[in-house]
Amino acid sequence: MILEGFLLFLQIMLINIVLSGDNAVVIALASKNLPVEQRKKAIWWGAFGAIALRLVLTVVAVSLLNLPYIQAAGSLLLLWIAIKLLIDDEGEAKVKVASTLGKAIWTIILADFVMSLDNVLAIAAKADNNLLVIILGISLSIPIIIWGSTMVMKLLHKYPIFVYLGAGILGYTAGEMFVSEEKVMNYFDYEPLLYIIPIGSTFIVLLAGLLKKMLKPSTAV
């Protein structure tokens, strides 16, 4: 039971970090024109606000996923998020550079809200109502993204395997979400689908990423 909770925690951490590359850029941009001391305060209070907001949104998402057919719809959205993670090359965040401490904090919190809806859905789906794991996973991964933003970005670019691993977890989670929707699965009387669909959704995500990589035009001159 402890091992299962720990593995779930690690998966949530990885999902949150992989999906938050743009958030790291936002934090760097929003506070770059502030004096060093104010920059630290902006990062600290922005992080605190972002964590609190994301926790609330995730708990709300967990509740919404219990509504009929919402989980099935969410699984399809999560599958698209996983595919987009691997095929989208436009990871540039567009954000105003803030001139004051208050504006920087507000920019960080607002941008995190707008850019974190995919994280919220993914974590709510993966956590399976385990609020303790949700709180730990989000609370620890956001500071990693913020204070280690440069390192995180370099790591994801240098070792794309982490991005593929994160996308694969999202794909599998999307499949798990779909087969957990009883109202949908009642239409199917074939138990192996409970295993085939999550594995199949993982394969679809990774195949999309590999095809994108193979078909990407070479930049060599």
Side-chain angles (χ1 to χ4, degrees):
M1 194 71 178
I2 295 176
L3 179 60
E4 187 179 328
F6 181 67
L7 290 174
L8 185 59
F9 166 73
L10 288 180
Q11 289 180 64
I12 287 176
M13 284 275 286
L14 179 61
I15 287 171
N16 212 18
I17 289 170
V18 166
L19 283 175
S20 295
D22 281 353
N23 302 57
V25 177
V26 164
I27 290 154
L29 285 175
S31 57
K32 77 171 189 176
N33 282 355
L34 297 176
V36 175
E37 193 58 38
Q38 286 196 357
R39 195 180 307 159
K40 290 178 181 177
K41 288 180 181 177
I43 290 173
W44 173 261
W45 287 108
F48 181 79
I51 290 170
L53 186 61
R54 200 179 290 196
L55 284 172
V56 171
L57 288 173
T58 306
V59 171
V60 170
V62 168
S63 302
L64 289 176
L65 287 176
N66 291 324
L67 296 175
Y69 298 109
I70 291 291
Q71 194 157 282
S75 72
L76 298 177
L77 177 59
L78 188 57
L79 183 64
W80 167 241
I81 289 169
I83 293 172
K84 191 172 182 291
L85 177 64
L86 293 182
I87 67 173
D88 191 1
D89 290 328
E90 299 180 15
E92 297 179 9
K94 295 180 181 176
V95 60
K96 279 187 178 180
V97 177
S99 56
T100 65
L101 176 61
K103 286 181 180 177
I105 293 170
W106 174 247
T107 299
I108 290 170
I109 294 173
L110 185 62
D112 189 83
F113 168 72
V114 172
M115 298 166 66
S116 296
L117 297 179
D118 51 358
N119 306 57
V120 166
L121 175 62
I123 291 168
K126 189 76 226 173
D128 193 27
N129 290 319
N130 193 329
L131 292 182
L132 177 61
V133 174
I134 290 175
I135 291 168
L136 286 174
I138 293 177
S139 299
L140 292 177
S141 55
I142 289 182
I144 288 172
I145 294 158
I146 290 170
W147 290 299
S149 58
T150 304
M151 184 190 71
V152 168
M153 294 293 284
K154 285 181 179 177
L155 187 67
L156 294 179
H157 283 297
K158 189 172 182 181
Y159 302 106
I161 186 66
F162 287 113
V163 180
Y164 278 86
L165 184 58
I169 291 172
L170 289 177
Y172 191 85
T173 303
E176 282 185 325
M177 278 180 74
F178 191 85
V179 299
S180 296
E181 178 62 81
E182 290 183 15
K183 288 190 176 294
V184 172
M185 293 307 291
N186 283 340
Y187 294 108
F188 306 98
D189 188 20
Y190 189 56
E191 193 172 333
L193 282 176
L194 297 176
Y195 311 100
I196 293 172
I197 290 177
I199 292 171
S201 59
T202 307
F203 179 76
I204 289 170
V205 169
L206 295 178
L207 182 62
L210 290 172
L211 286 174
K212 171 67 176 180
K213 190 174 181 180
M214 289 167 60
L215 297 174
K216 186 177 180 180
S218 174
T219 53
V221 179

